[in-house]
Amino acid sequence: MKILLTREIPQSGIEALKKEFGESLIIHHGPPMTSDQLKESAKGCDGVLSLLTDKITPDVMDAAGDSLRIISNYAVGFDNVDLTAATERRIIVTNTPGVLTEAVAEHTVALLIAVSRRIVEADKFMRTGKYKYWEPMLFLGPKIYGKTLGIVGLGRIGHHTAKILKNGFDMKVLYYDVRRDDDFEREIKAMYVSLDDLLEKSDFVSIHVPLLPSTHHLMSEREFKKMKPTAILVNTSRGPVIDENALVRALKEKWIEGAGIDVFEFEPNLAEGLAELDNIIVTPHIASATREARIEMARLASQSVVDVLVNKKIPENIVNKEVKPRF
Ligand code: NAD
């Protein structure tokens, strides 16, 4: 057997793989592999444990050959894996849902508060010695308590984010999704609305949809122009869900008040002009970066490899359920 781990993950995952596969486990150390390196390293693999920075294309799958039976992606999002190609080649694809829900929701709330209360700008102001005396109008921002929150994509993370902000800040919650969730509506008195309605009525908009053809540039110039000029946008989902050049214009021309962004359309690069703006806080795709979440992600991702290659069973967190697996 040959198992490729495309980068170091927490020890819990590495140990679990070593225990089952011993010397057959190949770990790539260092920065993400280029597509040529990935193809070379994947040759003859039975399983690949990939990260969101690895583009698992049909070419990579073909380079691995017929032995490849599982691609276990160390992330909830799996837009870096060509799912159709994997299913056609009878390869199981898994992700790591659930174990990072709280972490991502907490980071979302952190961004929402930090942008509203201008924490990063104020910190820079202090460090550069600009604080001379107290001023009534210094770094004013919006109150959060009791305002309207719009959740776009009410899955695990959207749901948990709404719960924190409802319970902690008594926010009125609107949501938009392709599915309605009656239990959620009852639980936190949330209202299901259209995306346009949500954008027009929300003081804070938080994005939690997966990256799909239907969500690519879900937020573009038209959508930003529908938002309140005092609204704050948070995105911890995937970069290309937002047209980032349009976001730069929206922030520069004050169509909206501010943004907190963890994921980028041209990741790891920022759209031109974004870094110069004061009314945005950017973090380097760290929404799931709690020690607890990353350990659990490692455990879950390695378990999926073991389930397929050793236990010969379908892992719970399979994403291409229609696949005809080869055990
Ligand atoms: P989930 O599958 O539980 O929720 C996604 C929700 O989006 C679902 O309710 C789904 O119905 C909805 N949806 C799908 N297409 C839609 C559309 N076109 N319009 C409106 N709603 C739509 O997923 P989750 O666990 O909540 O994670 C959400 C996303 O967050 C992931 O797909 C991933 O890309 C991203 N994520 C980012 C980080 C990070 O580090 N920044 C970490 C984890 C997850």
Side-chain angles (χ1 to χ4, degrees), residues 49 64 89 95 159 171 201 208 229 269 283:
L49 197 154
R89 288 162 180 74
N95 65 346
H159 189 137
M171 291 184 85
K201 293 181 179 147
H208 302 285
N269 302 313
T283 52

mmCIF file of all heavy atoms in Angstrom, residues 49 64 89 95 159 171 201 208 229 269 283:
data_model
loop_
_atom_site.group_PDB
_atom_site.id
_atom_site.type_symbol
_atom_site.label_atom_id
_atom_site.label_comp_id
_atom_site.label_asym_id
_atom_site.label_seq_id
_atom_site.Cartn_x
_atom_site.Cartn_y
_atom_site.Cartn_z
ATOM 1 N N LEU A 49 -4.429 11.778 1.471
ATOM 2 C CA LEU A 49 -5.038 12.695 2.431
ATOM 3 C C LEU A 49 -4.583 14.090 2.005
ATOM 4 O O LEU A 49 -3.411 14.432 2.103
ATOM 5 C CB LEU A 49 -4.593 12.364 3.858
ATOM 6 C CG LEU A 49 -5.459 12.968 4.967
ATOM 7 C CD1 LEU A 49 -5.392 12.140 6.236
ATOM 8 C CD2 LEU A 49 -5.128 14.409 5.257
ATOM 9 N N ALA A 64 -2.139 8.646 -10.174
ATOM 10 C CA ALA A 64 -2.178 7.649 -9.086
ATOM 11 C C ALA A 64 -2.486 6.274 -9.653
ATOM 12 O O ALA A 64 -1.925 5.262 -9.234
ATOM 13 C CB ALA A 64 -3.220 8.047 -8.047
ATOM 14 N N ARG A 89 -14.105 7.550 -11.527
ATOM 15 C CA ARG A 89 -12.978 6.611 -11.322
ATOM 16 C C ARG A 89 -13.185 5.720 -10.103
ATOM 17 O O ARG A 89 -12.266 5.051 -9.643
ATOM 18 C CB ARG A 89 -11.670 7.412 -11.181
ATOM 19 C CG ARG A 89 -11.228 8.014 -12.497
ATOM 20 C CD ARG A 89 -10.226 9.136 -12.285
ATOM 21 N NE ARG A 89 -9.796 9.724 -13.556
ATOM 22 C CZ ARG A 89 -10.540 10.530 -14.318
ATOM 23 N NH1 ARG A 89 -11.782 10.837 -13.942
ATOM 24 N NH2 ARG A 89 -10.083 11.021 -15.448
ATOM 25 N N ASN A 95 -14.719 14.435 3.558
ATOM 26 C CA ASN A 95 -14.324 15.734 4.114
ATOM 27 C C ASN A 95 -14.355 15.651 5.649
ATOM 28 O O ASN A 95 -14.482 14.540 6.194
ATOM 29 C CB ASN A 95 -15.224 16.850 3.574
ATOM 30 C CG ASN A 95 -16.668 16.725 4.007
ATOM 31 O OD1 ASN A 95 -17.094 15.687 4.501
ATOM 32 N ND2 ASN A 95 -17.425 17.775 3.822
ATOM 33 N N HIS A 159 -25.751 28.024 11.027
ATOM 34 C CA HIS A 159 -26.648 27.764 12.149
ATOM 35 C C HIS A 159 -25.979 28.140 13.483
ATOM 36 O O HIS A 159 -26.555 28.853 14.310
ATOM 37 C CB HIS A 159 -26.999 26.273 12.136
ATOM 38 C CG HIS A 159 -28.079 25.885 13.097
ATOM 39 N ND1 HIS A 159 -29.075 25.036 12.756
ATOM 40 C CD2 HIS A 159 -28.308 26.212 14.383
ATOM 41 C CE1 HIS A 159 -29.892 24.870 13.786
ATOM 42 N NE2 HIS A 159 -29.434 25.569 14.785
ATOM 43 N N MET A 171 -29.855 39.250 18.476
ATOM 44 C CA MET A 171 -30.046 39.744 17.112
ATOM 45 C C MET A 171 -31.293 39.125 16.485
ATOM 46 O O MET A 171 -31.673 38.005 16.818
ATOM 47 C CB MET A 171 -28.809 39.414 16.254
ATOM 48 C CG MET A 171 -27.594 40.209 16.677
ATOM 49 S SD MET A 171 -26.164 39.918 15.627
ATOM 50 C CE MET A 171 -26.474 41.078 14.310
ATOM 51 N N LYS A 201 -32.270 44.176 4.150
ATOM 52 C CA LYS A 201 -32.731 44.394 5.531
ATOM 53 C C LYS A 201 -31.676 44.157 6.605
ATOM 54 O O LYS A 201 -31.889 44.533 7.764
ATOM 55 C CB LYS A 201 -33.935 43.474 5.815
ATOM 56 C CG LYS A 201 -35.145 43.869 4.994
ATOM 57 C CD LYS A 201 -36.331 42.991 5.285
ATOM 58 C CE LYS A 201 -37.532 43.426 4.455
ATOM 59 N NZ LYS A 201 -38.381 42.317 4.091
ATOM 60 N N HIS A 208 -22.017 31.625 4.430
ATOM 61 C CA HIS A 208 -21.636 30.266 4.845
ATOM 62 C C HIS A 208 -22.010 29.200 3.826
ATOM 63 O O HIS A 208 -22.271 28.053 4.195
ATOM 64 C CB HIS A 208 -22.280 29.949 6.206
ATOM 65 C CG HIS A 208 -21.877 30.918 7.257
ATOM 66 N ND1 HIS A 208 -20.639 30.897 7.846
ATOM 67 C CD2 HIS A 208 -22.527 31.984 7.791
ATOM 68 C CE1 HIS A 208 -20.544 31.896 8.710
ATOM 69 N NE2 HIS A 208 -21.670 32.575 8.686
ATOM 70 N N PRO A 229 -25.861 51.008 3.457
ATOM 71 C CA PRO A 229 -24.532 51.636 3.490
ATOM 72 C C PRO A 229 -23.846 51.476 4.845
ATOM 73 O O PRO A 229 -22.636 51.642 4.955
ATOM 74 C CB PRO A 229 -24.815 53.111 3.181
ATOM 75 C CG PRO A 229 -26.280 53.282 3.250
ATOM 76 C CD PRO A 229 -26.949 51.947 3.170
ATOM 77 N N ASN A 269 -3.431 35.568 -2.704
ATOM 78 C CA ASN A 269 -3.306 37.001 -3.012
ATOM 79 C C ASN A 269 -4.608 37.741 -2.736
ATOM 80 O O ASN A 269 -5.679 37.138 -2.725
ATOM 81 C CB ASN A 269 -2.916 37.170 -4.485
ATOM 82 C CG ASN A 269 -1.608 36.455 -4.785
ATOM 83 O OD1 ASN A 269 -0.643 36.585 -4.041
ATOM 84 N ND2 ASN A 269 -1.592 35.663 -5.855
ATOM 85 N N THR A 283 -7.991 37.926 7.428
ATOM 86 C CA THR A 283 -7.227 36.899 8.153
ATOM 87 C C THR A 283 -6.894 35.773 7.166
ATOM 88 O O THR A 283 -7.642 35.540 6.205
ATOM 89 C CB THR A 283 -8.026 36.337 9.361
ATOM 90 O OG1 THR A 283 -9.333 35.905 8.926
ATOM 91 C CG2 THR A 283 -8.182 37.383 10.462
#
